[in-house]
Amino acid sequence: MSLNDRLNEDMKQAMRSQDKFRLSVIRMVRSSIKNIEIDQRKSLDDQEVLDVLNREIKQRRDSLQEFEKAGRDDLADQLKQELAILADYMPQQLSEDEVKEIVQQTIHEVGASSKADMGKVMSALMPKVKGRADGKLVNQIVQQSLA
């Protein structure tokens, strides 16, 4: 089952069970997907849907930080629930140790030796971990490894 089909089925299930919050989150994501499909005049494949989901998750994480700084616990809690729902559609995330291992392999592959080579490492690394690891974590580990 494609990710788009899964979102459709989960939306129907949320309607049946009258889970208004889950339904709202799924509709927001489907709306983002639909807007991109209209702009590009084609249906999105699973990887492109994952890109949309990643973008939605990143937006919510950024907002979550801002709400927590501002002391808006009510909005922060709502965003945490939305993030939990969106995380269900993402592939299994890599652990920090797995990311470190992939970073070390990539550094060895590109022959990087200093922070000046960080761009080469990141460009070779990101396709390997796309959607399976947080970009900030990857960046942090690469910086530590090249220090």
Side-chain angles (χ1 to χ4, degrees):
M1 177 182 288
S2 76
L3 209 43
N4 240 342
D5 293 339
R6 186 170 162 214
L7 282 165
N8 283 332
E9 288 302 314
D10 289 352
M11 184 175 73
K12 291 175 190 174
Q13 183 59 38
M15 283 182 200
R16 285 186 208 111
S17 63
Q18 297 181 356
D19 185 349
K20 291 181 181 175
F21 187 76
R22 185 174 192 83
L23 179 61
S24 161
V25 172
I26 293 172
R27 279 185 172 160
M28 279 189 280
V29 171
R30 287 197 24 75
S31 173
S32 295
I33 292 168
K34 196 62 160 170
N35 286 337
I36 292 171
E37 286 178 342
I38 290 169
D39 288 344
Q40 295 181 359
R41 294 187 174 106
K42 68 173 188 131
S43 295
L44 300 182
D45 63 17
D46 276 355
Q47 186 57 49
E48 292 166 324
V49 172
L50 277 176
D51 291 343
V52 173
L53 284 168
N54 272 327
R55 194 171 28 252
E56 293 289 325
I57 288 173
K58 185 177 185 322
Q59 287 174 353
R60 283 168 175 77
R61 283 186 182 148
D62 292 344
S63 297
L64 179 63
Q65 289 176 348
E66 295 301 316
F67 289 148
E68 286 175 342
K69 284 181 192 174
R72 293 295 309 264
D73 293 333
D74 55 330
L75 295 174
D77 290 341
Q78 180 180 346
L79 281 179
K80 286 177 185 175
Q81 292 173 349
E82 288 181 16
L83 282 168
I85 291 170
L86 293 176
D88 290 344
Y89 300 100
M90 298 302 293
Q92 181 67 36
Q93 295 293 298
L94 296 171
S95 70
E96 192 170 334
D97 291 335
E98 291 171 319
V99 173
K100 285 180 182 178
E101 186 177 319
I102 294 171
V103 166
Q104 291 304 320
Q105 289 172 353
T106 306
I107 288 173
H108 182 69
E109 286 171 14
V110 298
S113 58
S114 69
K115 284 196 178 199
D117 299 324
M118 187 161 172
K120 285 195 294 187
V121 173
M122 291 300 287
S123 63
L125 181 65
M126 287 313 287
K128 296 178 183 179
V129 298
K130 188 174 186 176
R132 299 184 314 151
D134 182 36
K136 289 181 183 177
L137 173 68
V138 173
N139 190 326
Q140 194 176 42
I141 292 172
V142 170
Q143 285 182 3
Q144 290 170 356
S145 299
L146 291 175

